[in-house]
Protein backbone atom coordinates (compact mmCIF):
# COMPACT_ATOMS: atom_id res chain seq x y z
CA UNK A 1 0.00 0.00 0.00
CA UNK A 2 1.32 3.47 -0.88
CA UNK A 3 1.93 5.51 2.22
CA UNK A 4 0.99 9.13 2.62
CA UNK A 5 4.06 11.36 2.71
CA UNK A 6 4.48 14.70 4.42
CA UNK A 7 7.52 16.89 5.09
CA UNK A 8 8.28 19.75 7.40
CA UNK A 9 10.80 21.60 9.55
CA UNK A 10 11.50 21.39 13.26
CA UNK A 11 12.45 25.03 13.81
CA UNK A 12 14.26 26.15 16.92
CA UNK A 13 15.40 29.55 18.19
CA UNK A 14 17.88 30.46 20.90
CA UNK A 15 18.65 34.16 20.69
CA UNK A 16 19.14 35.03 24.33
CA UNK A 17 17.43 32.34 26.31
CA UNK A 18 17.04 28.57 26.10
CA UNK A 19 16.57 26.49 22.95
CA UNK A 20 12.88 26.64 22.01
CA UNK A 21 10.98 24.70 19.36
CA UNK A 22 8.09 25.94 17.22
CA UNK A 23 4.90 23.89 17.45
CA UNK A 24 1.54 24.74 15.90
CA UNK A 25 -1.92 23.57 16.99
CA UNK A 26 -4.41 22.48 14.32
CA UNK A 27 -7.70 24.33 14.08
CA UNK A 28 -9.37 21.02 13.12
CA UNK A 29 -9.66 17.44 14.36
CA UNK A 30 -8.05 16.72 17.72
CA UNK A 31 -6.29 20.11 17.80
CA UNK A 32 -2.95 18.37 18.05
CA UNK A 33 0.40 20.15 17.97
CA UNK A 34 3.14 19.51 15.40
CA UNK A 35 5.93 21.41 13.72
CA UNK A 36 4.93 22.99 10.39
CA UNK A 37 4.58 20.22 7.79
CA UNK A 38 2.25 18.93 5.11
CA UNK A 39 1.65 16.65 2.19
CA UNK A 40 4.10 16.32 -0.68
CA UNK A 41 2.58 17.55 -3.95
CA UNK A 42 3.25 15.85 -7.29
CA UNK A 43 6.66 16.73 -8.69
CA UNK A 44 7.89 18.30 -5.46
CA UNK A 45 11.04 17.24 -3.62
CA UNK A 46 10.81 16.60 0.12
CA UNK A 47 12.77 19.77 0.85
CA UNK A 48 10.55 21.86 -1.46
CA UNK A 49 7.52 20.56 0.44
CA UNK A 50 9.10 21.29 3.81
CA UNK A 51 9.85 24.89 2.80
CA UNK A 52 6.48 25.49 1.13
CA UNK A 53 4.50 24.10 4.06
CA UNK A 54 6.60 26.04 6.57
CA UNK A 55 5.92 29.24 4.63
CA UNK A 56 2.18 28.50 4.23
CA UNK A 57 1.62 27.44 7.82
CA UNK A 58 3.97 29.68 9.79
CA UNK A 59 4.91 32.50 7.42
CA UNK A 60 8.60 31.75 8.01
CA UNK A 61 10.64 31.74 4.82
CA UNK A 62 13.89 30.25 3.61
CA UNK A 63 15.79 33.47 4.34
CA UNK A 64 14.56 33.52 7.96
CA UNK A 65 16.08 30.15 8.79
CA UNK A 66 19.21 28.03 8.47
CA UNK A 67 18.51 24.42 7.54
CA UNK A 68 20.67 21.55 8.78
CA UNK A 69 20.31 18.99 5.99
CA UNK A 70 22.27 16.40 7.98
CA UNK A 71 19.79 16.57 10.84
CA UNK A 72 16.78 14.65 9.64
CA UNK A 73 14.12 12.52 11.32
CA UNK A 74 11.55 10.21 9.77
CA UNK A 75 8.31 9.36 11.57
CA UNK A 76 6.07 6.46 10.59
CA UNK A 77 2.55 6.08 11.94
CA UNK A 78 -0.93 5.14 10.79
CA UNK A 79 -3.71 7.61 10.05
CA UNK A 80 -7.08 5.92 9.55
CA UNK A 81 -5.24 2.59 9.22
CA UNK A 82 -3.15 3.96 6.37
CA UNK A 83 0.62 4.28 6.79
CA UNK A 84 2.00 7.79 6.82
CA UNK A 85 5.62 8.91 6.66
CA UNK A 86 6.67 12.35 7.85
CA UNK A 87 10.16 13.68 7.20
CA UNK A 88 11.49 16.59 9.25
CA UNK A 89 14.73 18.53 8.95
CA UNK A 90 16.10 20.68 11.72
CA UNK A 91 16.22 24.43 11.09
CA UNK A 92 17.18 27.46 13.19
CA UNK A 93 15.39 30.79 13.15
CA UNK A 94 18.19 33.27 12.43
CA UNK A 95 16.25 36.56 12.36
CA UNK A 96 15.42 37.61 15.88
CA UNK A 97 12.70 40.03 14.79
CA UNK A 98 10.80 37.33 12.88
CA UNK A 99 8.05 35.23 14.42
CA UNK A 100 5.54 32.69 13.16
CA UNK A 101 1.97 33.71 12.33
CA UNK A 102 -1.22 31.68 12.02
CA UNK A 103 -3.02 30.48 8.90
CA UNK A 104 -6.53 29.02 8.82
CA UNK A 105 -5.04 25.54 9.45
CA UNK A 106 -3.92 26.43 12.98
CA UNK A 107 -5.46 28.09 16.01
CA UNK A 108 -2.34 28.61 18.08
CA UNK A 109 1.44 28.33 18.03
CA UNK A 110 4.22 28.61 20.54
CA UNK A 111 7.95 28.23 21.18
CA UNK A 112 8.59 25.50 23.72
CA UNK A 113 11.58 24.11 25.59
CA UNK A 114 12.42 20.47 24.83
CA UNK A 115 10.48 19.10 27.79
CA UNK A 116 7.40 21.24 27.15
CA UNK A 117 7.55 20.46 23.42
CA UNK A 118 7.67 16.73 24.21
CA UNK A 119 4.66 17.04 26.52
CA UNK A 120 2.56 19.07 24.11
CA UNK A 121 3.42 17.04 20.99
CA UNK A 122 2.19 13.93 22.79
CA UNK A 123 3.19 11.19 20.30
CA UNK A 124 6.25 9.07 21.21
CA UNK A 125 7.74 9.23 17.71
CA UNK A 126 7.53 13.02 17.68
CA UNK A 127 9.11 13.15 21.14
CA UNK A 128 11.91 10.91 19.97
CA UNK A 129 12.56 13.16 16.95
CA UNK A 130 12.64 16.28 19.16
CA UNK A 131 15.12 14.63 21.53
CA UNK A 132 17.32 13.56 18.62
CA UNK A 133 17.34 17.13 17.23
CA UNK A 134 18.10 18.58 20.66
CA UNK A 135 21.09 16.23 20.96
CA UNK A 136 22.24 17.31 17.49
CA UNK A 137 22.12 20.99 18.52
CA UNK A 138 24.04 20.37 21.73
CA UNK A 139 26.70 18.22 20.03
CA UNK A 140 27.17 20.10 16.74
CA UNK A 141 26.07 23.73 17.05
N1 LIG B 1 -9.90 15.97 11.14
C1 LIG B 1 -9.88 16.91 10.17
N2 LIG B 1 -10.93 17.76 10.03
C2 LIG B 1 -10.93 18.72 9.07
N3 LIG B 1 -9.91 18.91 8.22
C3 LIG B 1 -8.84 18.10 8.32
C4 LIG B 1 -8.78 17.07 9.29
N4 LIG B 1 -7.59 16.44 9.16
C5 LIG B 1 -6.96 17.05 8.14
N5 LIG B 1 -7.70 18.06 7.62
C6 LIG B 1 -7.32 18.93 6.49
O1 LIG B 1 -6.12 18.47 5.95
C7 LIG B 1 -5.22 19.53 5.76
C8 LIG B 1 -3.85 19.08 6.23
O2 LIG B 1 -3.05 18.95 5.16
P1 LIG B 1 -1.51 19.19 5.22
O3 LIG B 1 -1.15 20.38 6.05
O4 LIG B 1 -1.03 19.15 3.81
O5 LIG B 1 -1.00 17.86 5.91
P2 LIG B 1 -0.66 17.39 7.36
O6 LIG B 1 -0.08 18.48 8.20
O7 LIG B 1 0.21 16.19 7.17
O8 LIG B 1 -2.12 16.97 7.89
P3 LIG B 1 -2.67 16.43 9.25
O9 LIG B 1 -2.85 17.49 10.26
O10 LIG B 1 -3.90 15.66 8.88
O11 LIG B 1 -1.54 15.42 9.70
P4 LIG B 1 -1.03 14.73 11.04
O12 LIG B 1 -0.23 13.57 10.61
O13 LIG B 1 -0.37 15.72 11.94
O14 LIG B 1 -2.37 14.26 11.77
C9 LIG B 1 -3.19 13.24 11.26
C10 LIG B 1 -3.67 12.36 12.43
O15 LIG B 1 -2.56 11.64 12.97
C11 LIG B 1 -2.36 11.94 14.34
N6 LIG B 1 -0.90 12.06 14.56
C12 LIG B 1 -0.13 13.16 14.36
N7 LIG B 1 1.16 12.91 14.66
C13 LIG B 1 1.23 11.60 15.04
C14 LIG B 1 2.30 10.75 15.46
N8 LIG B 1 3.55 11.21 15.55
N9 LIG B 1 2.00 9.47 15.79
C15 LIG B 1 0.73 9.01 15.70
N10 LIG B 1 -0.33 9.76 15.30
C16 LIG B 1 -0.09 11.04 14.97
C17 LIG B 1 -3.09 13.23 14.60
O16 LIG B 1 -3.55 13.34 15.90
C18 LIG B 1 -4.25 13.17 13.59
O17 LIG B 1 -5.31 12.46 14.14
C19 LIG B 1 -5.74 20.71 6.54
O18 LIG B 1 -5.72 21.85 5.74
C20 LIG B 1 -7.14 20.36 6.91
O19 LIG B 1 -7.99 21.16 6.14
Amino acid sequence: MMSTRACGLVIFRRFKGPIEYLLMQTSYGQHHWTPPKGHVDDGESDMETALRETDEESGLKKEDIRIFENAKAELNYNVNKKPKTVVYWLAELIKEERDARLSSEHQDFGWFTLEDACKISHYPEMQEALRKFDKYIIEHL
Side-chain angles (χ1 to χ4, degrees):
M1 197 200 297
M2 273 276 286
S3 66
T4 309
R5 191 172 184 85
C7 301
L9 297 176
V10 169
I11 302 176
F12 73 97
R13 68 177 187 188
R14 55 162 177 190
F15 294 109
K16 288 183 190 78
I19 297 166
E20 294 175 317
Y21 297 90
L22 175 64
L23 293 175
M24 308 194 77
Q25 183 181 35
T26 59
S27 51
Y28 53 84
Q30 301 163 308
H31 305 295
H32 64 294
W33 294 77
T34 72
K37 57 121 178 59
H39 294 117
V40 178
D41 287 345
D42 286 345
E44 229 179 16
S45 70
D46 286 353
M47 185 59 83
E48 284 167 349
T49 303
L51 286 165
R52 175 181 55 75
E53 289 285 347
T54 298
D55 184 358
E56 284 175 12
E57 296 190 350
S58 74
L60 295 174
K61 299 182 190 308
K62 200 175 178 183
E63 55 269 24
D64 301 322
I65 56 180
R66 183 191 323 158
I67 297 171
F68 302 98
E69 297 206 29
N70 294 332
K72 190 178 178 182
E74 185 179 303
L75 280 63
N76 292 287
Y77 51 93
N78 287 333
V79 179
N80 300 326
K81 297 186 182 152
K82 214 178 153 225
K84 178 169 182 176
T85 298
V86 184
V87 174
Y88 288 110
W89 280 277
L90 180 66
E92 181 175 9
L93 181 66
I94 53 172
K95 293 193 183 158
E96 194 163 1
E97 72 282 7
R98 295 283 285 133
D99 200 352
R101 53 109 183 101
L102 292 173
S103 74
S104 60
E105 285 185 42
H106 293 100
Q107 62 183 28
D108 200 3
F109 72 84
W111 296 87
F112 302 95
T113 60
L114 176 64
E115 288 314 315
D116 287 346
C118 284
K119 271 182 213 142
I120 204 167
S121 63
H122 176 71
Y123 294 106
E125 280 203 74
M126 190 69 240
Q127 294 165 341
E128 199 184 308
L130 288 165
R131 291 192 195 286
K132 175 176 152 173
F133 285 137
D134 202 73
K135 194 158 177 272
Y136 182 95
I137 297 167
I138 289 161
E139 287 176 1
H140 295 89
L141 309 178

